[in-house]
Amino acid sequence: VVKCPVVVEDTGYGIEASTKDVGDFMYGEEYKTAKRFIRQISTEEDLDKIKMPVVTYDKETTMKNFNLMQEIFDGILEVQLSGISFFHCVLWDDLLSWMGIQEGMYDFILNPEFMHKAADRYMKACISRAKQYESLGLVSSNNGNVLVGQGGLGYTSDLPAPTKSGIGGRLCDNWGDGADQIFTSVSPGMTREFAIDHEVEWANLFGLMYYGCCDRLDHKISELKAFKNLRKVSMSPYAHLEAGMEELGSEFVVSFKPNSNYLAAPTWDRELSRKELIKVCELARKYNSNVEIIMKTLISVQGEPQRLWEWCDMAMEIVENY
């Protein structure tokens, strides 16, 4: 199958993060500077800067592309339309980049009512966009060879199969995704109050829910269970792995993220990676866990891509032994 993407315009939220470089701290173009986020939202009146996205489908251009691709791939590959299949909502990662990180964090204590109103407005915008995708017939299934959440494939027998055309699906037949990694040092109670309670309506749009990214979540599992369709939870290198896996048990999928820093060192210490993989397998056996292992957030392999191949071979060997 070859995919033909639908042609879509999205007006966005009407506001983007404004940053100022504050100094070099790393080599490489993408990661070379620390950023200071400039405060653009500080009052309730400023919340009007967050607009409701407007989605427009250019069906004519889409079908023109589709027909051309059918002609090109005739007798070789089936052409399918490909719409929106990644439903990602990062409430405070976005809002705090508009509010200023330090200033916004203070507002959780000094101005909580304002922060709740900001969260309500953002979630309303997120939900509005997703529902527009659905009403325009632009939803594609992520039950298949599609990444959901922060890595991992969406294959599951608990959601309907994709539509034959490739689009026209329903939100409730898909995985949804949420994360607030900027809350990694915020207490479980405040995470529940300011993030999860606002995100429940978003989660309810979908059949299954994936939550988390690089944040530490092992001590917030009971709060996450507010999502009644929760299925996968990210366990990052910053998590207390055993505590998280004990809480998740066999009811959920542990989306385990090994420490990619091991691969970035000048000399790769394979034994560190091996011990890490053995540990998660031993804990999976101990707590009867369902685990997916995803090596992500790779910054460098020191010009030695074979480290990745060797890591994959090692991971497969260890998993097969368990």
Side-chain angles (χ1 to χ4, degrees), residues 58-313:
D58 187 344
K59 185 174 182 179
E60 182 179 351
T61 302
T62 299
M63 296 312 299
K64 181 180 179 181
N65 294 342
F66 179 73
N67 292 331
L68 181 59
M69 288 180 68
Q70 281 191 313
E71 185 179 328
I72 292 169
F73 291 103
D74 183 36
I76 304 171
L77 291 171
E78 177 189 352
V79 181
Q80 282 187 352
L81 291 170
S82 175
I84 310 302
S85 61
F86 187 55
F87 303 101
H88 184 55
C89 179
V90 285
L91 168 59
W92 288 109
D93 285 19
D94 277 343
L95 277 175
L96 287 174
S97 73
W98 304 333
M99 294 176 164
I101 307 299
Q102 180 170 293
E103 299 93 333
M105 285 293 189
Y106 276 129
D107 278 338
F108 287 119
I109 299 296
L110 301 176
N111 201 356
E113 185 178 346
F114 164 63
M115 299 303 271
H116 282 301
K117 289 181 178 179
D120 285 340
R121 187 170 183 89
Y122 180 90
M123 293 310 305
K124 183 179 178 181
C126 244
I127 291 168
S128 170
R129 169 188 279 135
K131 287 184 174 180
Q132 287 178 71
Y133 289 147
E134 184 177 52
S135 64
L136 291 168
L138 301 177
V139 171
S140 285
S141 174
N142 53 26
N143 178 12
N145 187 23
V146 180
L147 291 181
V148 298
Q150 297 304 308
L153 300 179
Y155 284 113
T156 176
S157 57
D158 287 350
L159 294 174
T163 61
K164 290 184 178 180
S165 68
I167 59 174
R170 303 183 302 172
L171 296 174
C172 64
D173 294 337
N174 280 272
W175 289 87
D177 171 32
D180 286 294
Q181 58 185 334
I182 204 164
F183 266 38
T184 198
S185 296
V186 173
S187 71
M190 289 189 71
T191 299
R192 174 68 188 260
E193 178 185 353
F194 288 100
I196 294 168
D197 284 350
H198 290 282
E199 294 163 337
V200 166
E201 187 178 356
W202 165 259
N204 288 342
L205 295 175
F206 304 98
L208 297 173
M209 188 68 176
Y210 180 115
Y211 199 90
C213 186
C214 297
D215 30 353
R216 180 191 165 201
L217 292 172
D218 61 276
H219 59 320
K220 300 181 181 181
I221 306 302
S222 60
E223 284 74 23
L224 293 179
K225 290 179 180 178
F227 302 125
K228 301 306 180 185
N229 54 352
L230 183 68
R231 178 60 55 85
K232 290 188 181 185
V233 178
S234 181
M235 283 287 118
S236 80
Y238 308 107
H240 294 173
L241 189 57
E242 182 162 10
M245 291 179 70
E246 182 178 12
E247 282 290 314
L248 291 168
S250 60
E251 187 178 356
F252 306 97
V253 175
V254 177
S255 189
F256 174 60
K257 313 296 166 49
N259 194 332
S260 63
N261 288 332
Y262 296 158
L263 289 168
T267 301
W268 176 32
D269 187 339
R270 290 164 178 77
E271 193 57 29
L272 283 174
S273 292
R274 177 177 291 277
K275 287 179 179 178
E276 183 181 46
L277 290 166
I278 289 173
K279 178 181 179 181
V280 74
C281 288
E282 288 177 342
L283 291 173
R285 177 175 285 174
K286 182 177 180 179
Y287 296 111
N288 195 27
S289 304
N290 304 292
V291 179
E292 61 181 11
I293 299 173
I294 303 168
M295 176 58 77
K296 69 184 295 286
T297 319
L298 293 158
I299 294 176
S300 173
V301 289
Q302 298 293 333
E304 300 175 6
Q306 59 269 28
R307 293 185 184 188
L308 299 176
W309 313 328
E310 292 173 18
W311 181 89
C312 287
D313 290 340

